[in-house]
Amino acid sequence: MDMNSAPSQGPAASSRVVGGEGVLPLLAAARADADRTVDLRRRLHRQPEVGLQLPATQAMVLAALGDLPIELTTGTSTSSVVGVLRGARPGPTYLLRGDMDALPLTETTGLPFASEVPGAMHACGHDTHVAMLAGAARLLAARRDTLAGQVVFMFQPGEEGHHGARFMLEEGLLDVVPDAPVSGAFALHISTVFPTGTINVRAGAMMASADQFRIIVHGRGGHASTPHLAADPVPVAAEIVLALQAMVTRRVDVFDPAVVTIGHLEAGTKDNIIPPSAVMDGTIRTLSPERRADVLASVQRVAEHVAAAHDLRAEFVRVEGYPVTVNDAGVAAQVTEAAAQLLGEQASAVMAAPLMGAEDFSYVLEQVPGAMAFLGACPPELDPATAPGNHSDLVVFDEDALPAGVAMYAVMAAQALAG
């Protein structure tokens, strides 16, 4: 989508009102403010930080919001930032989230604003999320007199496997406005899988749960020339890997799917030594709590029983990951409608299937109705089907998509608080 062209205005787009104005002025305001959004994004991109403690990122967020009528607090267990914008009239509290952390990855894009931190890169686009959320804060602050209620801006560290959202919830995120707890939530995630400027969402399961596990096959070491005198864990480990794949295809309903992947397998030190143990690490992705519990139990059972069949022992260790990201059906429909009003029907898409990646915004959606949507940002010279994607050291996001994201954040909150 050409972000400089005006979207079509059907009856819904022209009639829907946000605080006395249609939604399109919000898009115009986001475009007019695009230079500030892009500047913040690029400054964040140059200085990526990984994990739960992001002091430089936190400082940039605080500076970006410092001149706005927003009450700011910072986390105690993490470097989170929470902002509260109070409308002119009482009403509900709506949460907008942007995650802040980068990945432990060396950037090879060659961009003029590429990461200046060795071994760290904003390869998942969290820098764009922060910049868009800050841009939305500026739009909403300028319209606070039209809001009936409060907007909570959730700037979250540690999304990349560190459970940052859970830490913020434990610190009272949803009750930051005591007399009006958060009652709805929305988040965007940028992606090159979709064309630039499109909003992509679905009701129900949006992203998968993600659990990690380790299986240690305990055998007995010995000389490679006399395996009968040892208890070789290597063929048993190989058999477990294959048995797990058969378990998924034979036992898991294709309409409630699961993915089990062994990503790391290690054993031994030399060709003529039978090692005493073999270790494998894997991940489980599912789209329902019931399937999640079933597959975890099945992986453990397969590993232990295959090992026992060879008179060896398998030790199963689970590392709990994120739950399924589940979009509220009503909110997902609101996202689709708002995107069509704001960007045109051609830019609003309902996803046919979930993605098997995982998100810790799921913790928020377990407690309040809300939705996460994908913002397309594939560079125009690339094909979304083949463009480097999130978590690639080559991923490049089309910055022309950012005003659409800013406006979507603002529209979702403004409509929720239109009062």
Side-chain angles (χ1 to χ4, degrees), residues 88-410:
R89 303 182 305 282
T93 300
Y94 199 80
L95 182 146
L96 301 174
R97 180 271 212 158
D99 40 359
M100 304 192 295
D101 57 320
L103 285 160
L105 189 67
T106 298
E107 182 168 357
T108 60
T109 62
L111 290 170
F113 54 91
S115 171
E116 297 172 358
V117 179
M121 176 190 176
H122 270 295
C124 204
H126 297 183
D127 52 336
T128 69
H129 302 169
V130 172
M132 290 188 294
L133 188 54
R138 289 192 291 272
L139 264 60
L140 291 167
R143 293 160 176 79
R144 63 184 301 201
D145 291 344
T146 70
L147 302 178
Q150 300 74 224
V151 184
V152 171
F153 301 96
M154 175 188 180
F155 292 90
Q156 179 212 310
E159 189 282 323
E160 296 291 352
H162 299 279
H163 302 264
R166 191 179 68 195
F167 283 100
M168 294 185 72
L169 290 168
E170 290 171 353
E171 290 185 2
L173 172 70
L174 299 182
D175 298 309
V176 67
V177 182
D179 56 339
V182 171
S183 57
F186 176 67
L188 280 173
H189 203 302
I190 203 163
S191 174
T192 60
V193 171
F194 305 101
T196 286
T198 60
I199 301 296
N200 307 267
V201 72
R202 72 187 308 273
M206 179 73 170
M207 298 185 75
S209 63
D211 293 293
Q212 296 79 49
F213 64 88
R214 168 166 286 191
I215 297 170
I216 306 169
V217 180
H218 295 281
R220 186 173 65 256
H223 199 286
S225 66
T226 54
H228 61 290
L229 298 179
D232 193 348
V234 174
V236 175
E239 189 173 328
I240 289 172
V241 173
L242 295 177
L244 290 176
Q245 304 314 306
M247 179 272 293
V248 171
T249 62
R250 298 299 88 189
R251 289 184 51 82
V252 173
D253 184 346
V254 295
F255 297 105
D256 187 10
V259 173
V260 177
T261 296
I262 301 295
H264 173 248
L265 176 59
E266 184 175 351
T269 58
K270 201 174 186 297
D271 66 289
N272 64 349
I273 300 173
I274 292 175
S277 64
V279 178
M280 64 193 85
D281 296 298
T283 184
I284 297 170
R285 306 298 173 108
T286 62
L287 294 173
S288 71
E290 295 79 14
R291 180 62 62 212
R292 183 185 191 188
D294 173 67
V295 173
L296 280 163
S298 295
V299 169
Q300 180 173 0
R301 183 173 60 251
V302 166
E304 292 175 347
H305 287 208
V306 169
H310 295 276
D311 203 23
L312 274 65
R313 181 174 65 88
E315 177 184 356
F316 177 84
V317 180
R318 174 201 180 190
V319 179
E320 184 175 357
Y322 299 158
V324 182
T325 303
V326 180
N327 284 344
D328 178 83
V331 179
Q334 292 169 13
V335 172
T336 301
E337 180 187 358
Q341 294 167 1
L342 187 71
L343 304 168
E345 295 285 349
Q346 76 284 356
S348 178
V350 176
M351 295 166 57
L355 299 184
M356 297 305 284
E359 245 290 345
D360 76 345
F361 191 58
S362 55
Y363 290 124
V364 175
L365 296 182
E366 283 185 325
Q367 300 195 37
V368 297
M372 167 173 277
F374 285 101
L375 170 66
C378 182
E381 69 276 10
L382 300 178
D383 182 347
T386 57
N390 294 37
H391 290 222
S392 167
D393 60 331
L394 292 169
V395 67
V396 174
F397 299 103
D398 185 0
E399 292 177 331
D400 283 349
L402 300 188
V406 171
M408 271 302 301
Y409 271 128

